[in-house]
Every structure is written in C-alpha cells, then in structure tokens.
Amino acid sequence: MILINTIKQAKKVLDSFRINNKTIGFVPTMGALHQGHIALIKTCKKTTDICICSIFINPTQFNNKTDFEKYPVTIEQDIDLLEAAGCDILFLPTVKEMYPANSPKWHYQLGYVEKILEGKYRPGHFQGVCQIVDKLLSIVMPHILFIGQKDYQQCMVIKKLVQIKQYDVHIEIVPTIRQKNGLALSSRNMRLTLAEKKNATNIHKTLLYVKQHLKPGNIKELKKSATLLLNTKGFKTDYVEIADAATLKPINKWDGKKPLVALIAAYLHEVRLIDNMLLTPGA
Ligand code: PAF
C-alpha cells in the first residue's frame, strides 16, 4: 500500500494510474476503521482497478467539541486492516494540508436535506461534510465513490453535492454491516462499555419493531411508541423518524406503497448513535 500525505503527491500518483486507463475507486473515512469500512474497501476492490482510502478526522463537521476530542484514533491498526484488505493507496493528510490558513469558506445550497434530522440536531455538520468531500473529490477525482448506508442522510447530501459541483463520479452505496446481535458497526461504538454495547442493540431492535408494526394509515403513534421503547432502555432519543426513502420528508400517513426509511438517532450517555432501515413494501 502506498502511503501519501500531501495533495501534490496524491494528484501525481493518481494521474499516473489514470493515464494508464485504470479505474479509480475512493473510500473516504475518518479512521477508527471497522468491518463496515472494510466492506467498502472490498466492494471497491471488486469494482475498480485502484482502491484509494483516505483517513482524515475532519474538524469542520463536528458541531460538538467533546465528540471531536474523543473521536477514536487507531491509525496503526487502521493501516494493518487496510493492507490486509488489499487497499492500494492510503491518503493521510494533515489538517494544515486540507485547510491551509486563510482558505476560503464555502457554503453549499443543500436545501431541505440539511435542515432535517441530523441537520437539525447537528447544525453545520453537513456543510462540514460537503467541504471535505468536495476537497477530497477534487484531489482524487475517482470514477466511483463508495459510501455506507449507515449514514443514510449523508449519502443523500453527498449525492446533492456531486450534483451541485457536477462531479463526474458514480456513487455506490454499500449496505450497513452489523454484529450478529444487530448492532450497526460504527467507530463511535469504541467509546461504549461492554454493557452499553449490549444495550445499544436496542436501536436495531426498535427499527425491527417499526418494520413489524408498520401498517398503512396513521403512523404517528408508531413513531411515539418506538421512541418510548428506546427511552425506557435508557437512551436519550433525538428522533425516531419514518420518512420517504427518496426525499426524507417525514411521513405521518402512509399509503402502504411508498418506500420508506426508518431513522434513529439516540444517545447512550454521551455517545450519540445513528442507524436506519429501509421499509420497502413487500420486502
Ligand atoms: O462518514 C464519514 O466518515 C465522514 O463523514 C466522511 C464522509 C469521511 C467525511 O469526513
């Protein structure tokens, strides 16, 4: 695996592959890698000639100082995992490299998708995500970008960014990887105790509860009972939402046909966890 720290070197190396007609697949991450990230790398390896992964804990997307300071850093282990998975290039820039002094501030017109759910509870978060993904895409210029369904709303935001900036890139969304007990893999799980990890499986259980109890008609009560279920298990729930899977508009009355997605964000002590489940009729 080639390790690259500078933008200049990244462009040079990637250009040499492009000149030789190699397809480039890109997996952006913030490190603290787990099997969810490795699934992205493996899908990338199957689909493109060259797989490049970036590790960069992007300060501009954290709206909470503690969350940023406590974000797990496991770089040596990350490198081992990437090498074992067959990743070709690791781009590991510094904050100074990505955000030089006096670098211009961007604002993206993301519209509705950044005002709801994560956007509402984490103001500015998606502007920060777009800022870094925009920079990374302009450096890597991949043919295919691989992102995880675990961050459902982020996937929609990145699609919107690609549309606004007219990047010529295909976006591949890879399904969430779960432990056997249903817990979605997440770097933030590293901050949970063993008992909390066990309790955290209630997020997936609540998504299953929503899926099992979903019926056409008024679904407001279902959201309420799902929220109650989580709160009684000791969570501080930001939201349990059932939304149109294509637009993320909340649905309160369901026609029984529209594909939906159930989304949850909840705290276990100071660790905020998110998860989602597609609720496609007939599936
Ligand atoms: O999902 C993440 O890990 C981050 O939000 C991303 C896409 C790497 C941007 O920093």
Side-chain angles (χ1 to χ4, degrees):
M1 185 168 70
I2 310 170
L3 182 61
I4 296 177
N5 299 108
T6 66
I7 295 173
K8 199 170 161 198
Q9 203 196 347
K11 284 185 174 169
K12 197 172 154 202
V13 170
L14 289 163
D15 273 350
S16 72
F17 286 118
R18 253 187 299 270
I19 287 165
N20 288 308
N21 286 325
K22 302 280 186 212
T23 53
I24 295 165
F26 179 40
V27 180
T29 80
M30 298 206 297
L33 301 184
H34 50 66
Q35 289 307 314
H37 296 109
I38 298 308
L40 295 173
I41 300 284
K42 289 199 170 146
T43 313
C44 177
K45 288 281 297 173
K46 267 191 223 142
T47 332
T48 58
D49 298 322
I50 301 295
C51 172
I52 168 164
C53 172
S54 65
I55 295 181
F56 181 69
I57 305 180
N58 174 35
T60 70
Q61 73 186 72
F62 287 85
N63 57 314
N64 177 314
K65 205 166 161 252
T66 319
D67 192 27
F68 177 56
E69 283 165 1
K70 296 212 169 157
Y71 202 82
V73 181
T74 57
I75 195 68
E76 268 152 36
Q77 196 185 311
D78 292 351
I79 291 175
D80 288 347
L81 279 173
L82 288 174
E83 278 193 324
C87 179
D88 300 295
I89 304 170
L90 170 59
F91 181 44
L92 190 62
T94 59
V95 173
K96 232 181 171 179
E97 183 73 7
M98 296 310 281
Y99 294 112
N102 303 323
S103 55
K105 285 231 178 320
W106 286 269
H107 186 85
Y108 303 89
Q109 296 296 336
L110 300 171
Y112 175 75
V113 74
E114 79 159 329
K115 294 192 173 67
I116 44 154
L117 304 171
E118 290 304 282
K120 181 175 159 202
Y121 286 92
R122 303 185 65 192
H125 167 64
F126 287 129
Q127 288 296 326
V129 169
C130 284
Q131 203 172 15
I132 196 62
V133 173
D134 191 2
K135 276 174 190 268
L136 289 167
L137 285 177
S138 72
I139 297 162
V140 176
M141 291 192 292
H143 297 88
I144 310 182
L145 173 68
F146 296 85
I147 47 180
Q149 195 204 312
K150 159 103 183 353
D151 296 295
Y152 193 90
Q153 193 173 0
Q154 174 171 275
C155 293
M156 291 182 70
V157 165
I158 292 177
K159 276 188 189 165
K160 179 94 187 177
L161 168 75
V162 163
Q163 186 199 330
I164 294 171
K165 297 293 302 261
Q166 299 189 337
Y167 280 114
D168 188 12
V169 60
H170 170 77
I171 298 177
E172 184 82 27
I173 297 176
V174 179
T176 305
I177 303 293
R178 300 179 183 281
Q179 289 184 3
K180 274 203 191 101
N181 61 15
L183 178 65
L185 299 194
S186 162
S187 304
R188 287 188 175 83
N189 293 351
M190 290 181 194
R191 292 179 54 200
L192 301 173
T193 64
L194 218 59
E196 285 167 343
K197 273 188 193 145
K198 213 170 153 206
N199 193 8
T201 60
N202 281 302
I203 293 184
H204 182 244
K205 284 189 188 131
T206 306
L207 290 169
L208 288 174
Y209 168 89
V210 169
K211 189 171 181 154
Q212 277 154 12
H213 291 81
L214 181 71
K215 283 194 201 86
N218 194 321
I219 56 173
K220 258 182 155 171
E221 283 308 311
L222 179 57
K223 296 183 201 180
K224 270 195 201 158
S225 52
T227 308
L228 197 69
L229 212 83
L230 275 179
N231 289 347
T232 52
K233 298 284 179 190
F235 289 82
K236 192 183 131 314
T237 308
D238 273 350
Y239 57 80
V240 174
E241 191 53 270
I242 305 175
D244 182 324
T247 64
L248 273 194
K249 292 246 155 93
I251 301 289
N252 289 324
K253 255 193 189 157
W254 186 46
D255 62 4
K257 294 189 199 109
K258 200 189 277 286
L260 302 176
V261 58
L263 307 115
I264 290 179
Y267 282 89
L268 256 186
H269 298 120
E270 58 172 26
V271 184
R272 190 171 182 278
L273 301 168
I274 60 169
D275 200 355
N276 65 80
M277 187 177 280
L278 285 165
L279 310 169
T280 312

